Each structure stands twice: as structure tokens, then as C-alpha cells.
Amino acid sequence: KAGVTQTPRYLIKTRGQQVTLSCSPISGHRSVSWYQQTPGQGLQFLFEYFSETQRNKGNFPGRFSGRQFSNSRSEMNVSTLELGDSALYLCASSLAFRAEETQYFGPGTRLLVL
Amino acid sequence: DQQVKQNSPSLSVQEGRISILNCDYTNSMFDYFLWYKKYPAEGPTFLISISSIKDKNEDGRFTVFLNKSAKHLSLHIVPSQPGDSAVYFCAASDSSYKLIFGSGTRLLVRP
């Protein structure tokens, strides 16, 4: 079974631009979560989607948004990029929206904002 | 406000010895706890979990201990192997199912 895939793997943008990141979950998984990882901060939860609906949201500004399609693929968008948005963005998929369901992570998209 | 804290950013252990990674939390509503391992250039991979109704869970060389009164959990790796060298994250969730991660501990197992 193919794992979670994320595209692109690396991205360089400038301040003020916007960016869209893509995540394809493991086949059959309907829950997709997004995290931001920065040095010293660990993984910070952005949002989670299940069956095309956002079920949970972290404490990030409205510039961060996402969506999930009917095939469970998910996209994350960041508008008006700031230098502090430079980070590794990870998505994870699981079968269902429950803590006991193991989340499987993709390799991440490393975003650099100049 | 960090609800899940890993106060040791790094740990170095000799191969064959025990590795003990620690994690503290502040939210008493957390009822499920997990450990993830992360190698460079890869996403985190699930290692082991524990429900708040238990105080210990074992899986091979890995054991997680939960002390609810102290709001503390630990991961024991016995015996430690060089391949265990990675960054370890603890995470916790409550009824919202949202995972809150600690900042990670880098483990180095020396041959």
C-alpha cells in the first residue's frame, strides 16, 4: 500500500505570496490532518478534515486554510506569506477521526519564505 | 502555552543500555498519549500509545509509562540500538481527538 504523499517536497516563496500544498492520504483513509513543524516548537496542529469537512482547527491565523476533496486528497493554502511561515508542513492520514486511529505521516513539504 | 513539554532536547545513551525519554503535560483532560519517532527527511512514525485508563503499555523493546497524578509519561527503550537514534515526540489528545505534540527529544545511541 502506498504511503502518504506530499507535493511539492520543497518550495521557495517570497513574502506576500501565497502557496498551496497537496497531500494524498493512504488509500481508504478518510481523515487528513495538517501540522507545522518549526525548530524548537515541535509539531503544531493546523487542522483536520474528515469526509470533506473540517472537524478540528488549531490556533493559526485565517491566512492558513485547507480543504478536502471527495477522494480524501487534501490541500493546504497559506496566503500573504510571512517569514515566520518558513517551516516543514506535514500531513497525516488515518482511517477515521479518532485518537486511537494511528496517524500516518507523509515526508512533509519544506517551505522557505524569503 | 505548551500543554505538552519535553524538557530534554537531547539524550545520549550507550548501545545496549536503557533510554528513558520523558514528557510532561498540563491538561488534565488528555486521555490518550502517543510516542512518535522521526528520522531526518521523513515524517514521524507511530511508535506506541497508552490510554489514560492504563499506567503501562509494552511493545517489544518499547514501554510507555503513564503517571496521571504527576501528569507525566515516559518512554523506555531496552536495549537501545544505534538504529533507535532519532527525534522522539510525545503527543496527547482529549475528546477533540486533536493531537498536541511536544517539542521533541533527540536520542543518540552510541555504538
Side-chain angles (χ1 to χ4, degrees):
Chain A
K1 216 181 221 187
V4 178
T5 57
Q6 291 186 247
T7 56
R9 291 294 309 276
Y10 303 94
L11 206 48
I12 300 175
K13 291 284 188 178
T14 54
R15 277 185 304 172
Q17 286 187 310
Q18 74 155 14
V19 67
T20 299
L21 311 181
S22 180
C23 172
S24 292
I26 291 173
S27 177
H29 285 193
R30 297 170 64 190
S31 175
V32 174
S33 299
W34 287 89
Y35 297 85
Q36 181 197 65
Q37 185 187 4
T38 52
Q41 291 292 316
L43 282 74
Q44 294 186 281
F45 175 79
L46 279 154
F47 26 66
E48 174 170 9
Y49 286 87
F50 181 79
S51 292
E52 301 178 66
T53 301
Q54 187 181 90
R55 301 291 177 132
N56 233 326
K57 191 176 189 305
N59 298 322
F60 277 82
R63 300 186 295 109
F64 292 80
S65 63
R67 58 178 176 167
Q68 187 181 34
F69 302 95
S70 57
N71 61 358
S72 294
R73 190 176 69 84
S74 178
E75 285 182 349
M76 190 193 109
N77 186 274
V78 188
S79 62
T80 321
L81 283 166
E82 299 176 1
L83 295 179
D85 297 333
S86 295
L88 179 67
Y89 290 89
L90 293 156
C91 88
S93 75
S94 59
L95 275 170
F97 182 59
R98 291 190 310 163
E100 295 83 358
E101 288 293 340
T102 300
Q103 292 197 18
Y104 296 86
F105 283 82
T109 294
R110 187 163 294 280
L111 172 64
L112 176 62
V113 182
L114 301 174
Chain B
D1 175 33
Q2 274 193 301
Q3 297 185 66
V4 178
K5 298 178 186 178
Q6 293 178 258
N7 293 316
S8 298
S10 64
L11 175 68
S12 181
V13 169
Q14 191 76 35
E15 180 179 7
R17 308 293 286 268
I18 183 172
S19 294
I20 300 176
L21 296 97
N22 295 303
C23 181
D24 296 298
Y25 61 96
T26 56
N27 188 342
S28 57
M29 300 305 292
F30 287 148
D31 57 8
Y32 199 73
F33 304 88
L34 310 91
W35 284 94
Y36 278 81
K37 178 171 71 173
K38 187 179 187 298
Y39 293 117
E42 295 182 14
T45 54
F46 170 75
L47 203 52
I48 192 169
S49 62
I50 187 167
S51 164
S52 60
I53 62 173
K54 294 184 174 182
D55 54 19
K56 178 182 172 182
N57 189 27
E58 280 183 84
D59 184 1
R61 298 186 296 115
F62 303 90
T63 303
V64 56
F65 295 91
L66 176 63
N67 182 332
K68 288 187 290 293
S69 60
K71 293 191 177 70
H72 177 85
L73 69 156
S74 61
L75 174 69
H76 293 210
I77 306 174
V78 183
S80 301
Q81 299 174 354
D84 296 329
S85 297
V87 177
Y88 289 78
F89 292 97
C90 70
S93 74
D94 55 20
S95 57
S96 71
Y97 305 144
K98 185 168 63 176
L99 283 185
I100 306 299
F101 282 83
S103 55
T105 296
R106 185 177 300 277
L107 173 66
L108 174 65
V109 180
R110 307 185 308 274

